Every structure is written in structure tokens, then in C-alpha cells.
Amino acid sequence: MSQHADLAARAGDLDATSPLSGTRERFLVPEGVIYLDGNSLGALPAAVPDVVQDVVTRQWGQRLIRSWNEFDWWGAPERTGDRIGALVGAAPGQVVVTDSTSVNLFKVFVAAGRMRPGRPVVLTDGGSFPTDLHILSSVARLMDLEVVRVTHEQAAGAIAEHADRLACIAFSQVDYRSGELWDLPGLTRAAHDAGALACWDLCHSAGVHPVGLDEHGVDLAVGCGYKYLNGGPGAPAFLYVAARHQDAFDHPLTGWQGHAAPFAMSPDYAPAHGITRARVGTAPLLSLLGLEAALTAYDGLSMADVRAHSQSLTGFFLECLDGLGLDLPVVTPRDPERRGSQVSLRHPEAYAVVQALIARGVIGDFREPDVVRLGFAPLYLSHADVLASAQHLLEVLRDKEFERPEFAARAAVT
Ligand SMILES: *Cc1c(COP(=O)(O)O)cnc(C)c1O
């Protein structure tokens, strides 16, 4: 049998026994597309269009302002937060859906600084997603903090080194570019041993990894609604404050919806009890209710099964690369316990390679400077898709398809 036939047989076996077989029907993925960019914009869950249609035509169009009560629009941020909480290991009452990740990072960093007065150091990852670094450096200017950038390997040592000067660590659980999974339990423990707080960005882990926020004692966390959670373009983000910190969570964006009595219309601010104080202003309800509907794609699934399928997909992709003789440098750790839900490869013409793949219906993305980033969303991808995408990549490289002029020009926005 050829290598390809061997791999096809293995894909068949793996798909037949996967605990997630059948969840693809919960999504409307276009025919002929293998979608490997669910870590940038998740695919459309089948439940969403009808709900959004109902929200627009009936709830807004017919019931108008009465819907705030009739459909509990008011409670949607906490209600949807609890659903996300269940996916990231947080008991109810600790997650709220609100604002964007960038805005929530600002709230969390300022609050963390205020919760650890006299400790001027924040540790972060110099390779972090830019918005995390940009927001943190602005907070540092506002609050006179010192940001120290470390790698994953340096993190534990740096926590010990700064110990009693450390306010918090601010890391992403999964590196957006390399797909490396950071040691959230270990670094959280180390931060606590130093008396510091652990703030985690879950943008690339929420929805594909069980996270275990409560189990590991994470203090504060944020994450994205439109990546693996499939909330749709610009869906609001989420914010987690561990119950034990909620009374002390003093964030800077004191809007009326975080007020203890918003309809008392008081000129003076008094924060609401619980996670509600992390709200700011009126939620984008079309998006928020779309996200709530999207989360039904997880109904009945265990996050342990989701994680197992995700690890199996990324592991099988690496197996396909090896089996088909594709020897691109792999940026992502080969150890499944150190991997998120993506595989990133390096190629000097990475941009053109991605464009050539997209032309074949395999949608991944390019990340500066030379990374082909392929996200494997476990709810709508099979091992057969994985093999097909590896085969397409093989052909793009073998036939030098990426050298075609139409794949060379970089658009302003990718
Ligand atoms: C996607 C992502 C963001 C996005 O932030 P927005 O405010 O939604 O634009 C932030 N941080 C990380 C680590 C991300 O992966």
C-alpha cells in the first residue's frame, strides 16, 4: 500500500472511533472547503442563523424595548458567561461576556495592579499577541509598573527572581503563533508562591482545551468569543474573576452596567456584587445572542473529549507530514501535552504558500514573518480533512504552485 493509502486507512479508523464524530453537522461549513482558520474566526454553527433572525425580526422588530425583560437581554452577559465558564472549568458566577479581549485586558491589568499595591513588576511573554503587549505597556505607564518580558523557559525563574516585587503574571495559555501550550497550572502555582496573581489570556485555548480555571486557582482570565467559540465576527469577549477576588476586583471602566443599582441612576458609582461589576456599558446584543446560540454546538460534549480529538487531529497532521515526506520546519511542539489546537510551519514563502492553499479550498493563515498557521477546530474537522490538507500542501510545494504570480502580492489585510 502507498503511504497515502495507509494514512487514509488510519484516518478512517480514527474518525470512526472519535467521540466527536457527528459534531460537524452542527456547523455550516461550505462545500469544498477545509477550514483551518477556526482559531481566527470560527465557522458558523448551524443554530446561529435562526436565532439571529429571531432576535432581529421578533425580539427587536416586534417586541422592541420589552425584550430587555421578555427575553432577558439584561441577563445575557452573565448567562452566556456561565456557558463559557463550563467550557473553561469555571463554576457559575465567575465569567461574564463583555467588551472585546483588548478592553478586558485593560480592565484585568489595572485591577491586578490595584490588588497588589507596592509590587511594581508584571511578567509577560515578549512574543505575545500585540494587543496584550500594547495594553499592558499602557497600563504600566498609567500605574508606574515595570513590564518584564520572558520566554516560556524563563518564566518560572523570573517569577522566583522578582518574587516579592511581582504583582502578576500575564501570559497566554496557547501562543497564537507557535501553538505552544504554556504550563498554566505550574506557572499559576509559582505566581501564588510569590504572592502574585495569575492572569491568563485564553484566546487560543477556550473551546479546545478544558483549561480548568477553578481547579488550578487562576485569579483572572480573558478570552475571545469569535475564535474556537464560534461566536461570529466581532463577537464579544469574556472575562473571568475568581469568586474569592470579586469583592476586590476594582477595574477602571466604571460604567453604569457594572453598577450595583443601575436603574437608581445615582451620580455616584458603587460596584455591583459578583462578576456583574466587570460589565461596563450596553452589550452588543445581536452579537452576544449569536454567541450564545453558537455555544449550543458544545451541548452534550465533554471538554476532555474535545481536547482528545484536537490532540489527535494535530498529531495526525504531523504524522501525515512525516508520512508524505514533507519536511518543513514545525514550529509547534511535537509533544501533544505541549500543543494547543494548531500546527505552525515555517516556509520562506509562507504567505504565497497560504494563498495557494486557499485557492485549493484549504483555508489557513499566514503570520509574520514566515509562518503557515493551521488551526484544527475539533468540532468540525475530521482526520480525513487533515490528510486532505496535508496532501494539498504537498502538491503546492512539490509543484511549486506558490511561485505563481497571483499568490505573491500581499493584500493590505489578510
Ligand atoms: C485574537 C486575540 C486577541 C484579540 O483581541 P480583540 O480585542 O478581540 O481584537 C487578543 N489577544 C490574543 C492573545 C488573541 O489571540
Side-chain angles (χ1 to χ4, degrees), residues 39 100-103 105 128-129 131-132 172 174 176 201 203-204 224 226-227 235 237:
N39 50 339
S100 64
T101 299
S102 300
V103 171
L105 285 166
S128 195
F129 190 86
T131 210
D132 299 54
S172 283
V174 173
Y176 79 103
D201 184 323
C203 280
H204 286 271
C224 203
Y226 54 78
K227 291 174 180 165

PDB file of all heavy atoms in Angstrom, residues 39 100-103 105 128-129 131-132 172 174 176 201 203-204 224 226-227 235 237, ligand 1:
ATOM      1  N   ASN A  39      -9.229  29.270  14.488  1.00  0.00           N
ATOM      2  CA  ASN A  39      -8.575  29.970  15.598  1.00  0.00           C
ATOM      3  C   ASN A  39      -8.487  31.465  15.325  1.00  0.00           C
ATOM      4  O   ASN A  39      -7.955  32.215  16.142  1.00  0.00           O
ATOM      5  CB  ASN A  39      -7.181  29.392  15.852  1.00  0.00           C
ATOM      6  CG  ASN A  39      -6.350  29.277  14.591  1.00  0.00           C
ATOM      7  OD1 ASN A  39      -6.895  29.254  13.487  1.00  0.00           O
ATOM      8  ND2 ASN A  39      -5.044  29.204  14.732  1.00  0.00           N
ATOM      9  N   SER A 100     -14.439  43.710  24.320  1.00  0.00           N
ATOM     10  CA  SER A 100     -13.515  42.937  23.487  1.00  0.00           C
ATOM     11  C   SER A 100     -12.397  42.407  24.378  1.00  0.00           C
ATOM     12  O   SER A 100     -12.235  42.844  25.526  1.00  0.00           O
ATOM     13  CB  SER A 100     -12.913  43.845  22.410  1.00  0.00           C
ATOM     14  OG  SER A 100     -12.130  44.851  23.031  1.00  0.00           O
ATOM     15  N   THR A 101     -11.617  41.502  23.842  1.00  0.00           N
ATOM     16  CA  THR A 101     -10.475  40.995  24.612  1.00  0.00           C
ATOM     17  C   THR A 101      -9.550  42.148  24.994  1.00  0.00           C
ATOM     18  O   THR A 101      -9.086  42.229  26.140  1.00  0.00           O
ATOM     19  CB  THR A 101      -9.710  39.947  23.788  1.00  0.00           C
ATOM     20  OG1 THR A 101     -10.602  38.859  23.495  1.00  0.00           O
ATOM     21  CG2 THR A 101      -8.512  39.412  24.548  1.00  0.00           C
ATOM     22  N   SER A 102      -9.290  43.047  24.041  1.00  0.00           N
ATOM     23  CA  SER A 102      -8.384  44.163  24.334  1.00  0.00           C
ATOM     24  C   SER A 102      -8.879  44.978  25.527  1.00  0.00           C
ATOM     25  O   SER A 102      -8.105  45.311  26.433  1.00  0.00           O
ATOM     26  CB  SER A 102      -8.251  45.075  23.109  1.00  0.00           C
ATOM     27  OG  SER A 102      -7.727  44.360  22.012  1.00  0.00           O
ATOM     28  N   VAL A 103     -10.166  45.299  25.528  1.00  0.00           N
ATOM     29  CA  VAL A 103     -10.720  46.105  26.618  1.00  0.00           C
ATOM     30  C   VAL A 103     -10.678  45.318  27.933  1.00  0.00           C
ATOM     31  O   VAL A 103     -10.343  45.860  28.992  1.00  0.00           O
ATOM     32  CB  VAL A 103     -12.158  46.556  26.268  1.00  0.00           C
ATOM     33  CG1 VAL A 103     -12.845  47.200  27.470  1.00  0.00           C
ATOM     34  CG2 VAL A 103     -12.127  47.519  25.084  1.00  0.00           C
ATOM     35  N   LEU A 105      -8.549  43.051  28.752  1.00  0.00           N
ATOM     36  CA  LEU A 105      -7.162  43.020  29.224  1.00  0.00           C
ATOM     37  C   LEU A 105      -6.855  44.287  30.024  1.00  0.00           C
ATOM     38  O   LEU A 105      -6.224  44.235  31.084  1.00  0.00           O
ATOM     39  CB  LEU A 105      -6.195  42.907  28.031  1.00  0.00           C
ATOM     40  CG  LEU A 105      -6.110  41.531  27.367  1.00  0.00           C
ATOM     41  CD1 LEU A 105      -5.402  41.640  26.008  1.00  0.00           C
ATOM     42  CD2 LEU A 105      -5.376  40.526  28.262  1.00  0.00           C
ATOM     43  N   SER A 128       4.048  37.668  22.781  1.00  0.00           N
ATOM     44  CA  SER A 128       2.596  37.629  22.926  1.00  0.00           C
ATOM     45  C   SER A 128       1.900  38.328  21.758  1.00  0.00           C
ATOM     46  O   SER A 128       2.504  39.126  21.043  1.00  0.00           O
ATOM     47  CB  SER A 128       2.254  38.345  24.230  1.00  0.00           C
ATOM     48  OG  SER A 128       0.955  38.061  24.617  1.00  0.00           O
ATOM     49  N   PHE A 129       0.623  38.065  21.616  1.00  0.00           N
ATOM     50  CA  PHE A 129      -0.197  38.787  20.637  1.00  0.00           C
ATOM     51  C   PHE A 129      -0.053  40.287  20.919  1.00  0.00           C
ATOM     52  O   PHE A 129      -0.128  40.717  22.072  1.00  0.00           O
ATOM     53  CB  PHE A 129      -1.646  38.337  20.777  1.00  0.00           C
ATOM     54  CG  PHE A 129      -2.544  38.826  19.685  1.00  0.00           C
ATOM     55  CD1 PHE A 129      -2.653  38.123  18.495  1.00  0.00           C
ATOM     56  CD2 PHE A 129      -3.271  39.995  19.835  1.00  0.00           C
ATOM     57  CE1 PHE A 129      -3.484  38.583  17.479  1.00  0.00           C
ATOM     58  CE2 PHE A 129      -4.098  40.459  18.827  1.00  0.00           C
ATOM     59  CZ  PHE A 129      -4.199  39.743  17.644  1.00  0.00           C
ATOM     60  N   THR A 131      -1.781  43.043  20.899  1.00  0.00           N
ATOM     61  CA  THR A 131      -2.695  43.849  21.722  1.00  0.00           C
ATOM     62  C   THR A 131      -2.420  43.631  23.209  1.00  0.00           C
ATOM     63  O   THR A 131      -2.487  44.562  24.012  1.00  0.00           O
ATOM     64  CB  THR A 131      -4.179  43.585  21.350  1.00  0.00           C
ATOM     65  OG1 THR A 131      -4.946  44.753  21.593  1.00  0.00           O
ATOM     66  CG2 THR A 131      -4.794  42.434  22.096  1.00  0.00           C
ATOM     67  N   ASP A 132      -2.079  42.415  23.595  1.00  0.00           N
ATOM     68  CA  ASP A 132      -1.782  42.127  25.003  1.00  0.00           C
ATOM     69  C   ASP A 132      -0.597  42.982  25.473  1.00  0.00           C
ATOM     70  O   ASP A 132      -0.609  43.546  26.573  1.00  0.00           O
ATOM     71  CB  ASP A 132      -1.480  40.637  25.203  1.00  0.00           C
ATOM     72  CG  ASP A 132      -2.652  39.733  24.825  1.00  0.00           C
ATOM     73  OD1 ASP A 132      -3.152  39.858  23.687  1.00  0.00           O
ATOM     74  OD2 ASP A 132      -3.070  38.913  25.656  1.00  0.00           O
ATOM     75  N   SER A 172      -0.389  34.100  27.800  1.00  0.00           N
ATOM     76  CA  SER A 172      -1.419  33.393  27.041  1.00  0.00           C
ATOM     77  C   SER A 172      -1.228  31.898  27.251  1.00  0.00           C
ATOM     78  O   SER A 172      -0.086  31.422  27.246  1.00  0.00           O
ATOM     79  CB  SER A 172      -1.286  33.688  25.547  1.00  0.00           C
ATOM     80  OG  SER A 172      -1.795  34.969  25.260  1.00  0.00           O
ATOM     81  N   VAL A 174      -2.069  29.505  25.184  1.00  0.00           N
ATOM     82  CA  VAL A 174      -1.537  28.968  23.928  1.00  0.00           C
ATOM     83  C   VAL A 174      -0.994  30.131  23.108  1.00  0.00           C
ATOM     84  O   VAL A 174      -1.692  31.121  22.886  1.00  0.00           O
ATOM     85  CB  VAL A 174      -2.624  28.217  23.129  1.00  0.00           C
ATOM     86  CG1 VAL A 174      -2.102  27.811  21.751  1.00  0.00           C
ATOM     87  CG2 VAL A 174      -3.096  26.983  23.892  1.00  0.00           C
ATOM     88  N   TYR A 176      -0.276  32.288  20.142  1.00  0.00           N
ATOM     89  CA  TYR A 176      -1.083  32.418  18.912  1.00  0.00           C
ATOM     90  C   TYR A 176      -0.292  32.061  17.661  1.00  0.00           C
ATOM     91  O   TYR A 176      -0.858  31.645  16.663  1.00  0.00           O
ATOM     92  CB  TYR A 176      -1.632  33.844  18.784  1.00  0.00           C
ATOM     93  CG  TYR A 176      -0.637  34.853  18.261  1.00  0.00           C
ATOM     94  CD1 TYR A 176      -0.691  35.301  16.943  1.00  0.00           C
ATOM     95  CD2 TYR A 176       0.383  35.340  19.075  1.00  0.00           C
ATOM     96  CE1 TYR A 176       0.225  36.211  16.462  1.00  0.00           C
ATOM     97  CE2 TYR A 176       1.303  36.246  18.596  1.00  0.00           C
ATOM     98  CZ  TYR A 176       1.229  36.680  17.292  1.00  0.00           C
ATOM     99  OH  TYR A 176       2.144  37.574  16.807  1.00  0.00           O
ATOM    100  N   ASP A 201      -4.589  34.736  29.356  1.00  0.00           N
ATOM    101  CA  ASP A 201      -5.352  35.009  28.137  1.00  0.00           C
ATOM    102  C   ASP A 201      -5.655  33.660  27.484  1.00  0.00           C
ATOM    103  O   ASP A 201      -4.734  32.903  27.152  1.00  0.00           O
ATOM    104  CB  ASP A 201      -4.503  35.905  27.223  1.00  0.00           C
ATOM    105  CG  ASP A 201      -5.257  36.314  25.968  1.00  0.00           C
ATOM    106  OD1 ASP A 201      -6.020  35.481  25.434  1.00  0.00           O
ATOM    107  OD2 ASP A 201      -5.065  37.450  25.507  1.00  0.00           O
ATOM    108  N   CYS A 203      -7.457  33.197  24.630  1.00  0.00           N
ATOM    109  CA  CYS A 203      -7.961  33.376  23.257  1.00  0.00           C
ATOM    110  C   CYS A 203      -7.784  32.125  22.402  1.00  0.00           C
ATOM    111  O   CYS A 203      -8.654  31.798  21.605  1.00  0.00           O
ATOM    112  CB  CYS A 203      -7.268  34.553  22.586  1.00  0.00           C
ATOM    113  SG  CYS A 203      -7.974  36.135  23.077  1.00  0.00           S
ATOM    114  N   HIS A 204      -6.660  31.440  22.561  1.00  0.00           N
ATOM    115  CA  HIS A 204      -6.397  30.266  21.706  1.00  0.00           C
ATOM    116  C   HIS A 204      -6.561  28.942  22.438  1.00  0.00           C
ATOM    117  O   HIS A 204      -6.110  27.912  21.944  1.00  0.00           O
ATOM    118  CB  HIS A 204      -5.014  30.388  21.057  1.00  0.00           C
ATOM    119  CG  HIS A 204      -5.001  31.407  19.961  1.00  0.00           C
ATOM    120  ND1 HIS A 204      -5.298  31.093  18.643  1.00  0.00           N
ATOM    121  CD2 HIS A 204      -4.825  32.747  19.997  1.00  0.00           C
ATOM    122  CE1 HIS A 204      -5.255  32.190  17.924  1.00  0.00           C
ATOM    123  NE2 HIS A 204      -4.973  33.218  18.713  1.00  0.00           N
ATOM    124  N   CYS A 224     -11.559  35.160  23.956  1.00  0.00           N
ATOM    125  CA  CYS A 224     -12.192  35.673  22.756  1.00  0.00           C
ATOM    126  C   CYS A 224     -13.456  34.880  22.422  1.00  0.00           C
ATOM    127  O   CYS A 224     -13.474  33.660  22.569  1.00  0.00           O
ATOM    128  CB  CYS A 224     -11.152  35.458  21.666  1.00  0.00           C
ATOM    129  SG  CYS A 224     -11.353  36.504  20.301  1.00  0.00           S
ATOM    130  N   TYR A 226     -14.948  34.919  19.290  1.00  0.00           N
ATOM    131  CA  TYR A 226     -15.110  34.626  17.850  1.00  0.00           C
ATOM    132  C   TYR A 226     -14.110  33.632  17.296  1.00  0.00           C
ATOM    133  O   TYR A 226     -14.120  33.363  16.102  1.00  0.00           O
ATOM    134  CB  TYR A 226     -15.066  35.926  17.031  1.00  0.00           C
ATOM    135  CG  TYR A 226     -13.840  36.793  17.273  1.00  0.00           C
ATOM    136  CD1 TYR A 226     -12.622  36.474  16.695  1.00  0.00           C
ATOM    137  CD2 TYR A 226     -13.904  37.930  18.075  1.00  0.00           C
ATOM    138  CE1 TYR A 226     -11.500  37.257  16.918  1.00  0.00           C
ATOM    139  CE2 TYR A 226     -12.792  38.714  18.312  1.00  0.00           C
ATOM    140  CZ  TYR A 226     -11.593  38.371  17.729  1.00  0.00           C
ATOM    141  OH  TYR A 226     -10.475  39.143  17.954  1.00  0.00           O
ATOM    142  N   LYS A 227     -13.223  33.092  18.135  1.00  0.00           N
ATOM    143  CA  LYS A 227     -12.258  32.103  17.631  1.00  0.00           C
ATOM    144  C   LYS A 227     -12.868  30.710  17.780  1.00  0.00           C
ATOM    145  O   LYS A 227     -13.879  30.430  17.147  1.00  0.00           O
ATOM    146  CB  LYS A 227     -10.923  32.286  18.341  1.00  0.00           C
ATOM    147  CG  LYS A 227     -10.270  33.597  17.896  1.00  0.00           C
ATOM    148  CD  LYS A 227      -9.014  33.944  18.644  1.00  0.00           C
ATOM    149  CE  LYS A 227      -8.462  35.269  18.100  1.00  0.00           C
ATOM    150  NZ  LYS A 227      -7.458  35.850  18.983  1.00  0.00           N
ATOM    151  N   ALA A 235     -17.674  39.075  17.748  1.00  0.00           N
ATOM    152  CA  ALA A 235     -18.443  38.639  18.925  1.00  0.00           C
ATOM    153  C   ALA A 235     -17.759  39.159  20.190  1.00  0.00           C
ATOM    154  O   ALA A 235     -16.538  39.277  20.230  1.00  0.00           O
ATOM    155  CB  ALA A 235     -18.539  37.113  18.979  1.00  0.00           C
ATOM    156  N   ALA A 237     -16.174  39.382  23.962  1.00  0.00           N
ATOM    157  CA  ALA A 237     -15.191  38.531  24.626  1.00  0.00           C
ATOM    158  C   ALA A 237     -15.683  38.167  26.028  1.00  0.00           C
ATOM    159  O   ALA A 237     -16.767  38.573  26.438  1.00  0.00           O
ATOM    160  CB  ALA A 237     -13.866  39.281  24.709  1.00  0.00           C
TER     161      ALA A 237
HETATM  162  C1  LIG B   1      -7.285  37.142  18.990  1.00  0.00           C
HETATM  163  C2  LIG B   1      -6.560  37.671  20.159  1.00  0.00           C
HETATM  164  C3  LIG B   1      -6.889  38.925  20.684  1.00  0.00           C
HETATM  165  C4  LIG B   1      -7.950  39.751  20.029  1.00  0.00           C
HETATM  166  O1  LIG B   1      -8.283  40.883  20.704  1.00  0.00           O
HETATM  167  P1  LIG B   1      -9.523  41.763  20.199  1.00  0.00           P
HETATM  168  O2  LIG B   1      -9.683  42.788  21.232  1.00  0.00           O
HETATM  169  O3  LIG B   1     -10.683  40.829  20.045  1.00  0.00           O
HETATM  170  O4  LIG B   1      -9.186  42.318  18.863  1.00  0.00           O
HETATM  171  C5  LIG B   1      -6.190  39.349  21.805  1.00  0.00           C
HETATM  172  N1  LIG B   1      -5.218  38.594  22.364  1.00  0.00           N
HETATM  173  C6  LIG B   1      -4.895  37.378  21.874  1.00  0.00           C
HETATM  174  C7  LIG B   1      -3.832  36.568  22.542  1.00  0.00           C
HETATM  175  C8  LIG B   1      -5.530  36.896  20.742  1.00  0.00           C
HETATM  176  O5  LIG B   1      -5.200  35.705  20.240  1.00  0.00           O
END
